[in-house]
Amino acid sequence: MPEIASFVHNGISVERHPAPPPMGPLGGIVLGLVGTAPDADASLPKNSPIRIVNLGDAAKLDTVGAERGTLWRTCYEIFRLVSVPIYAVIVDEGVDAAATTNNVIGKVEAATGQRTGIESLADCMETPTHICAPGFNTKPVADALAAMGKRLFAVPVGDGPNTNDQAAVDYSLSLGGEGTGYDAFYLLDPQVSVYSQAAKGNVYFSAAAIALSCFARVKAWESPAKGGMGALISGTSRTIDYNIMDKSTNGGLLNKHGVSYFARTSMGGFSLIGNRTVTGRFVSQVSLEYAIIRKLAKTAQRAMARNLSKSFMDQEITKLNVWLKSLQADETIIGAQVYLHPTLNNVDNYRNGEWHIAIKYHGYAPNEHMVYHLIEDTGIVEAFLEEVL
């Protein structure tokens, strides 16, 4: 008798079709720093991201207690307020400020492909959400941070010229526009005063470094200008005129041009004032956008190379809608909707292995301007007189 070609098995088989794994939360804050640490432990590599998670790790950036360089104090001031992963890239101090700036900007070595300076931030094991080169306040450094921020979908935080208000405004105006990475660039001016044990007194230091602690203590989709700084800041290198009721202050001028700053407020001590990037976007909404993009990039690989069947596409759309509903439920976003793009999903694109998913969403705006309307109502007086007479 010939073999029955159609026979498979006299029994049962079970084929599992598990649902896609949950996408999970958007993730926490991770900081990426580039700077100098001339007294760092010899075991710490140069131009390679070093993960620092506490003051013990930070102490290796200053083994003699002289507090030289920019990285130790940045990490120290951040850890005084919040606990957050920091990736620090140590660069050599040059023979002069220009040479050091070149080392901070960095490059990719032609012969080895080794990244240096800001370019090294691409090697972090965890993608930074915010990047900074504290104290290096030149436009070439800002350009490098903006470019790397655009590449990593990280918010660049930079220092201004630290001279006067007009110079800060002019510096902001000199930075690139939308589409260059500057739509996410958060600018600080002037420097702030912090206590130094090595100097046995107060020293002026990068405002961008202190602002990083403000970003780290809130969620990515919230404004960093939330709450006071307590005793961390004792002053600023120049006083910024700020009044919560006055629209004509120099502080208002700075904010109008995308420059944030620290000023004394009614909460006591200093607070960070400023919700916007240099192009005027709310930094909290940029951070939300970047957080969503980073999550999509991190979770998309599992689905790559699957056949574009109806069931697969429906499953992916459902997965994204469920995930965004969870973000809506915890008030990360106002609302969202995911669907197949009605025009871009055409025959040519499909035959090329390409499909388009439309994601509509919107985040919350920060409470930047509260308007109280005091309305004098004569009807209240009439009711009062009716009661009295």
Side-chain angles (χ1 to χ4, degrees), residues 148-360:
M148 182 55 67
K150 184 178 180 182
R151 177 179 174 185
L152 298 178
F153 296 103
V155 172
V157 183
D159 285 298
N162 190 46
T163 53
N164 56 62
D165 293 343
Q166 188 58 54
V169 169
D170 291 341
Y171 182 73
S172 178
L173 291 172
S174 75
L175 302 180
E178 294 183 10
T180 62
Y182 276 107
D183 51 343
F185 197 97
Y186 191 80
L187 179 62
L188 279 299
D189 195 83
Q191 291 184 350
V192 297
S193 176
V194 295
Y195 184 77
S196 165
Q197 288 186 312
K200 298 180 181 179
N202 291 333
V203 296
Y204 289 115
F205 191 60
S206 161
I210 306 303
L212 288 175
S213 65
C214 299
F215 279 104
R217 68 181 178 179
V218 299
K219 297 174 182 177
W221 47 93
E222 295 178 337
S223 171
K226 180 181 179 182
M229 299 302 298
L232 265 68
I233 297 176
S234 58
T236 54
S237 64
R238 70 178 188 277
T239 300
I240 303 298
D241 182 22
Y242 167 75
N243 186 317
I244 196 171
M245 294 288 290
D246 190 348
K247 298 179 182 179
S248 63
T249 63
N250 278 8
L253 176 69
L254 291 179
N255 276 173
K256 185 178 181 179
H257 290 87
V259 182
S260 300
Y261 59 94
F262 288 94
R264 292 190 181 276
T265 69
S266 60
M267 291 188 293
F270 286 81
S271 297
L272 177 61
I273 310 296
N275 298 304
R276 298 175 185 257
T277 70
V278 294
T279 64
R281 291 192 65 188
F282 287 129
V283 70
S284 56
Q285 294 185 342
V286 175
S287 298
L288 171 62
E289 175 188 319
Y290 278 8
I292 292 174
I293 291 171
R294 289 193 302 268
K295 174 60 73 172
L296 292 173
K298 191 173 183 179
T299 58
Q301 192 65 50
R302 186 186 296 270
M304 300 304 295
R306 292 278 301 275
N307 281 342
L308 292 178
S309 65
K310 183 180 185 303
S311 61
F312 167 71
M313 291 190 286
D314 287 345
Q315 189 178 57
E316 288 297 301
I317 296 296
T318 300
K319 177 187 72 174
L320 289 170
N321 270 315
V322 170
W323 173 60
L324 290 169
K325 287 295 183 185
S326 70
L327 299 185
Q328 181 179 349
D330 63 14
E331 295 190 337
T332 299
I333 58 176
I334 298 174
Q337 179 188 6
V338 185
Y339 55 93
L340 290 174
H341 197 284
T343 58
L344 294 177
N345 287 300
N346 51 48
V347 173
D348 281 347
N349 285 339
Y350 181 87
R351 293 184 65 206
N352 197 40
E354 177 181 321
W355 65 306
H356 294 257
I357 304 169
I359 302 176
K360 286 185 177 180

Side-chain angles (χ1 to χ4, degrees), residues 31 33 46 50 57 59 116 131 133 145 157 190 199 218 232-233 245 289-290 297 308 361 371 387:
L31 304 179
L33 306 178
K46 302 285 182 65
I50 303 163
D57 292 340
T116 66
I131 60 175
L145 285 172
V157 183
V218 299
L232 265 68
I233 297 176
M245 294 288 290
E289 175 188 319
Y290 278 8
L308 292 178
Y361 82 100
V371 181
E387 184 178 325

